[in-house]
Amino acid sequence: MSFGFKGRALRSAAVLAIVGALGTPAMADEIFYVSGAVGNAVENFANLVKPWEEATGHKVTMVPMPASTTDQFGQYRLWLAAGAADIDLYQTDVIWAPQLADHFLDLTEVAKDLAPTHFPSIIQSQTVNGKLVALPIFTDAPALYYRKDLLEKYGVAVPKTWAELTVAAQAVQDGERAAGKGDFWGFVWQGNAYEGLTCNALEWIKSFGGGQIVEADGSISVNNPKAAAALDTVKGWVGTISPEGVLAYQEEEARGVWQTGNAAFMRNWPYAYGLGNGADSAVKDLFGVTTLPVGAEGDTSAATLGGWNVAVSKYSKHPDAAISLAMYLAGPEAQKQRAIAESNLPTIVALYDDADIAAAQPIIPQWKDVFLNAVPRPSAPTLGKYNEVSSKFWSAVHATLSGDGTAADNLAGLEADLTELKGDAW
Ligand code: GLC
């Protein structure tokens, strides 16, 4: 089969390469791992898997996929439906487990000692009808990144409500533009029509008291005045404190503007923290992180729960080596390496007390409570239909933010579409 990756032929060649300790020849496998990536994930992957390759004699090839989780999902679903045997492991988004469960091996037994070292809720999110379909490698919950130096320069406090953020962003933007920085923006986030917009919009709506699209009991709650008020607020940002182009931004576009020093605030995941403090960053040591704002005083901040896992394809020709790699990637050594090198939040409880991690990436211990209280997207209640639910949701939000229909009308239309999609039951 053809994968269309430039310069990279996927093949699953097993060669006799290492001799075991007792002189028994062992098979060294070439393992293929497909993964989307943001930031320095591709770069770090070779370092991450090196100890496992050395210990086992196997070789891992990462097949990089588009950064958008939506694009990855579309491709993986096709490969899995076709029973693609050339891919051994898939890096999977936290929301995919119910939809892809049938294609992955059950890791319950092999991970029976490792799984209890992880946060139970995360293991639970990857368990479908009693089957552990993927092992968590990192969790995710966004931060509001803010420029400490600029808030100080303009005498602006760290905002607690979205209204305060709007005012603060405008003040810093006006000041920086007057000082000659024509490209400077108040607030950057992810407005492209994809899963990332679902994450952002869930945060706006939930923090305005407007629910979580589809509730845990399966009821469709999204068509309500608080949700509409949230979207109206955000619409007011487009072209004022946020560039018109934000409606095409994913994580990396937002980080690009932020890390070159051209934004006062950014909504992004923790991976942007380490990179923002990198040697080549214009905002190194100049920023802080806090929780996302609330709709009004008395509302609670909402962070969408993200995160990534590793699943072993049931079509893999090297299931033993693939399972061994999955266990390694979900284990403490790899999670610690990833935490330090990529500022990804571990899913192993003990790593939140690790001094090396805390020293290298202070956001990690600070973010434990944020992800533990994060809001899940409705992938569990909507089962196999989550992808369609999300795509209808982000489309309605994107239309609203683009000026195509009012929030109230678009949410009413969304409710009708979701009701039809649901039928008698999700
Ligand atoms: C992050 C999250 C993931 C989410 C994605 C949206 O990668 O970890 O769960 O779906 O962002 O863009």
Side-chain angles (χ1 to χ4, degrees), residues 69 93-95 140 194-196 199 251 269 306-308 377:
T69 178
D93 200 331
V94 65
I95 50 182
D140 241 354
Y194 79 125
E195 184 64 29
C199 297
E251 284 79 0
W269 308 94
W308 291 86
R377 282 160 278 173

Side-chain angles (χ1 to χ4, degrees), residues 179-203:
K181 289 197 86 176
D183 291 339
F184 194 92
W185 289 98
F187 184 32
V188 291
W189 37 279
Q190 294 79 41
N192 197 336
Y194 79 125
E195 184 64 29
L197 179 56
T198 290
C199 297
N200 282 245
L202 172 60
E203 287 153 7

Side-chain angles (χ1 to χ4, degrees), residues 246-328:
V246 80
L247 296 180
Y249 281 13
Q250 298 184 7
E251 284 79 0
E252 288 290 79
E253 287 79 21
R255 185 172 68 86
V257 175
W258 163 259
Q259 210 174 296
T260 48
N262 288 317
F265 296 98
M266 170 176 74
R267 181 265 181 215
N268 217 327
W269 308 94
Y271 86 94
Y273 185 91
L275 296 165
N277 282 320
D280 60 352
S281 168
V283 298
K284 180 174 166 39
D285 299 329
L286 297 179
F287 67 92
V289 285
T290 186
T291 49
L292 294 169
V294 302
E297 247 173 83
D299 289 336
T300 37
S301 168
T304 298
L305 181 65
W308 291 86
N309 311 275
V310 56
V312 180
S313 168
K314 76 173 186 196
Y315 315 108
S316 164
K317 291 187 209 125
H318 315 286
D320 293 343
I323 289 172
S324 163
L325 178 57
M327 290 287 288
Y328 171 75

Side-chain angles (χ1 to χ4, degrees), residues 198 205 212-215 218-223 378 382 385-397 410-426:
T198 290
I205 291 177
Q212 33 200 95
I213 313 167
V214 174
E215 303 305 308
S219 58
I220 299 163
S221 64
V222 73
N223 182 23
T382 59
K385 294 179 183 165
Y386 173 72
N387 193 52
E388 274 174 276
V389 170
S390 183
S391 103
K392 287 184 190 306
F393 175 64
W394 82 56
S395 300
V397 173
N410 288 338
L411 291 179
L414 175 64
E415 180 182 47
D417 286 353
L418 293 180
T419 305
E420 193 185 328
L421 179 64
K422 178 178 176 184
D424 292 337
W426 292 110

Side-chain angles (χ1 to χ4, degrees), residues 66-377:
S68 159
T69 178
T70 302
D71 294 344
Q72 292 160 38
F73 182 76
Q75 180 63 69
Y76 295 172
R77 198 150 61 166
L78 294 176
W79 282 342
L80 289 165
D86 291 332
I87 298 166
D88 302 292
L89 299 117
Y90 289 80
Q91 186 166 308
T92 60
D93 200 331
V94 65
I95 50 182
W96 297 346
Q99 293 167 92
L100 300 181
D102 289 349
H103 300 287
F104 298 140
L105 295 183
D106 185 357
L107 301 171
T108 310
E109 190 49 36
V110 70
K112 67 178 187 311
D113 295 330
L114 179 62
T117 67
H118 291 236
F119 289 94
S121 58
I122 301 178
I123 294 292
Q124 187 52 42
S125 74
Q126 299 308 303
T127 305
V128 179
N129 298 328
K131 170 177 171 182
L132 183 57
V133 301
L135 299 179
I137 55 174
F138 70 94
T139 185
D140 241 354
L144 179 69
Y145 289 75
Y146 61 91
R147 285 285 298 274
K148 281 190 294 203
D149 57 328
L150 296 180
L151 294 195
E152 199 171 306
K153 178 171 171 189
Y154 296 103
V156 177
V158 178
K160 295 258 184 288
T161 64
W162 292 112
E164 286 171 11
L165 176 132
T166 308
V167 173
Q170 189 73 58
V172 178
Q173 180 178 306
D174 290 349
E176 290 299 284
R177 294 225 181 148
K181 289 197 86 176
D183 291 339
F184 194 92
W185 289 98
F187 184 32
V188 291
W189 37 279
Q190 294 79 41
N192 197 336
Y194 79 125
E195 184 64 29
L197 179 56
T198 290
C199 297
N200 282 245
L202 172 60
E203 287 153 7
W204 307 325
I205 291 177
K206 177 81 178 170
S207 66
F208 266 79
Q212 33 200 95
I213 313 167
V214 174
E215 303 305 308
D217 67 0
S219 58
I220 299 163
S221 64
V222 73
N223 182 23
N224 69 74
K226 288 181 173 171
L231 298 188
D232 284 334
T233 300
V234 176
K235 170 136 189 15
W237 299 338
V238 181
T240 59
I241 58 168
S242 305
E244 301 274 358
V246 80
L247 296 180
Y249 281 13
Q250 298 184 7
E251 284 79 0
E252 288 290 79
E253 287 79 21
R255 185 172 68 86
V257 175
W258 163 259
Q259 210 174 296
T260 48
N262 288 317
F265 296 98
M266 170 176 74
R267 181 265 181 215
N268 217 327
W269 308 94
Y271 86 94
Y273 185 91
L275 296 165
N277 282 320
D280 60 352
S281 168
V283 298
K284 180 174 166 39
D285 299 329
L286 297 179
F287 67 92
V289 285
T290 186
T291 49
L292 294 169
V294 302
E297 247 173 83
D299 289 336
T300 37
S301 168
T304 298
L305 181 65
W308 291 86
N309 311 275
V310 56
V312 180
S313 168
K314 76 173 186 196
Y315 315 108
S316 164
K317 291 187 209 125
H318 315 286
D320 293 343
I323 289 172
S324 163
L325 178 57
M327 290 287 288
Y328 171 75
L329 289 172
E333 181 182 352
Q335 288 217 4
K336 179 168 177 174
Q337 198 278 356
R338 203 190 275 278
I340 292 173
E342 300 180 47
S343 57
N344 288 155
L345 303 175
T347 62
I348 294 177
V349 181
L351 293 178
Y352 286 83
D353 298 321
D354 185 286
D356 300 331
I357 294 178
Q361 305 290 3
I363 190 176
I364 291 180
Q366 282 172 37
W367 240 243
K368 181 178 171 187
D369 285 340
V370 179
F371 90 75
L372 284 174
N373 291 305
V375 184
R377 282 160 278 173

